[in-house]
Amino acid sequence: MAKTVSISEDSIIAMLKGLPENILMEIFSKMLIQSDTSPLTDEEETSYKEALKEHEKGEIINWEDLK
C-alpha cells in the first residue's frame, strides 16, 4: 500500500520545474489523458494530436510565462 504524505503546493511546483520537459510531457499525458478511463471523443483526439504536433514544432508556452 502506498504511503500518504502531505506536501505543499510550492514544493510540488518546485519539483516539477526541475524536471526535463519530456518527462513533464509524459507525466501530464499520463495524468490528464491516459488516466481517464472513458474513450476520447473524436474532437478530443483531434485536439490532442494537434497539440502534440505543435509541441514537436516548438510552438509551446514557456513554463515561466505560466507563473
Side-chain angles (χ1 to χ4, degrees), residues 1-63:
M1 182 162 79
K3 181 178 180 181
T4 302
V5 295
S6 296
I7 187 168
S8 72
E9 182 179 316
D10 289 340
S11 295
I12 293 170
I13 291 170
M15 286 188 293
L16 289 172
K17 284 182 177 181
L19 294 174
E21 188 174 321
N22 65 321
I23 299 299
L24 286 172
M25 289 293 295
E26 184 178 334
I27 289 170
F28 289 128
S29 176
K30 286 179 181 177
M31 287 176 49
L32 302 175
I33 306 295
Q34 298 171 14
S35 65
D36 187 350
T37 58
S38 62
L40 294 176
T41 64
D42 290 340
E43 184 179 317
E44 290 169 331
E45 184 74 31
T46 299
S47 177
Y48 180 63
K49 287 179 181 178
E50 184 177 315
L52 289 176
K53 287 178 187 176
E54 289 172 356
H55 180 263
E56 288 174 9
K57 291 185 211 175
E59 298 172 1
I60 59 173
I61 297 173
N62 187 315
W63 177 261

